[in-house]
Amino acid sequence: MEYQPIIGLEIHIQLKTKSKMFCTCDNVSEDIEPNTNVCPVCMGQPGVLPVTNTQAIDWAVLSALALGCKIPSFSKFDRKNYFYPDLPKGYQISQYDKPIGINGQLILEYLDKNKKLVQRKVQIKRVHLEEDAAKLVHDPTTKFSLVDFNRAGTPLLEIVTEPDLRSSLGAKISMQELRDIFRYLDVSNCDMEKGQLRCDANISLKPEGKETLSAKTEIKNLNSFRAVEKALEYEIERQTKLWNGGKPPKEPSTRGWDDAKQISYEMRVKEEVSDYRYFPEPDLPPLEFTKDYVKEIKLKLPELPHQKRERLIKQYELGFPEAKMIASDRLIGEFYEGVLSELREWLSSLGEKEKKIEEGIKKLRKLTASWIVRDLFKHLSEEKIGMEQCRITPENFAEFVTYIYKEEISGPAAKIVFAEMFNRGADPSHVIDEKNLKQVSDKGELDKIVEKVIKANPKPQEDYKKGKEQALQFLVGQVMKETKGKANPKIVADILKEKLS
Ligand code: ZN
Ligand code: MN
């Protein structure tokens, strides 16, 4: 029997507002002493009153709009009651029946395991605002659990999808797409390692062709893209076994994911909504959004990742994989276009005809994209830095690309120049001079060297004349060696062919 996984996601995103959700404490919880960034409000002292952070509201509306949500004119906060040591008030201020945004969608485009382009829309049920809980630190040696309240009260955006996903890969891609969107909006850094982007995944299996679903399992606190994918793969396998054994899950349950062991484990049988005893938060006024206000926020929406992807493909004829990578980061997308506009200017300054410029720009677009996708991304991830810390300017990058375009530096030399540009923000022309990397394309100069190499290697010369193509490669290699890698291999091969024919 085949089973289809039915997957929905609940995502939490920490907003990087200046202050916390309902008090004036700074909104920073990392790299500071535990419990030093707290006040009576976020500590949940009796008698204190919360005040709504308007920046968080604006950003929540912006986020909901970016996800194509409708913004109802009325919204309010509610208390979600439960007891846990990381929740000092005994309730979390959240939103129940009147969230900020409803009925949105997440547009996914990705290559599946067979490299086939998948396009699908995941419906967004709701987007709401709430406060983050404190952080529990479990000390394995003393067996004590300690509470750090620095995180308590951080604004959290919760996004709930409909169960529209059908694969673990789709779930992972959804999370990556959300990260890209929220970084574009500049409302969260979405660093999963730091817990700024977190995910709970709901999954149940449906036997192919039938309508019956098993009870859903919720996997809690998945904190890396890999964990989202792996945990779901594991659950699909585990639940398939249960179905095949004639015992599909009957009760909804909550499970955790052990990343070290790569297994999920049962935590508890899931609470029902009624267990939370939601009721309206009496200390906060409800929210009313006028049409003008929503319009004003809408004007602040930037071009979004999927829009940029589409445009890069259309406007610059990029392939999907390149467009997806370049559009995944707003700054890299801007960088790419900055480099291209420099290159277009350079081409026009050469005084070429319009047609020649168009041909040139086509080559330069591809060349630039491949150096960004292959080399820039590699260097950024090796250095573990973001594009905002990259030392290469669009001007220098464009100049660098012109050297390759004009075949003035060889492939290996280009790698050296690029590394120097990346590591110290060096000007490409300086690196080429400094390291004497300019490719020798001068025919007269190469002619002499080729003569010398042919004389010194009679055997390969004979072999080539007998039809052995490899012998030519050997001779090209000898010329490269003679010139310390600076000869233009294409021109060398041409000269060799001419002389040996
Ligand atoms: Zn506070
Ligand atoms: Mn929540």
Side-chain angles (χ1 to χ4, degrees), residues 10 12 80 92 94 128 130 156 158:
E10 245 181 72
H12 286 95
K80 180 180 181 179
Q92 177 193 31
S94 179
H128 76 244
E130 57 188 32
L156 272 189
E158 181 173 324

Side-chain angles (χ1 to χ4, degrees), residues 20 22-26 37-43 149 152-153:
K20 289 185 182 180
F22 299 115
C23 62
T24 56
C25 289
D26 276 347
N37 186 31
V38 293
C39 74
V41 176
C42 54
M43 290 282 287
F149 287 91

Side-chain angles (χ1 to χ4, degrees), residues 206-224:
K206 186 169 87 75
E208 209 71 69
K210 288 194 179 162
E211 287 309 308
T212 38
L213 277 176
S214 56
K216 71 179 177 188
T217 299
E218 184 177 17
I219 319 169
K220 280 278 181 201
N221 288 328
L222 296 166
N223 53 16
S224 74

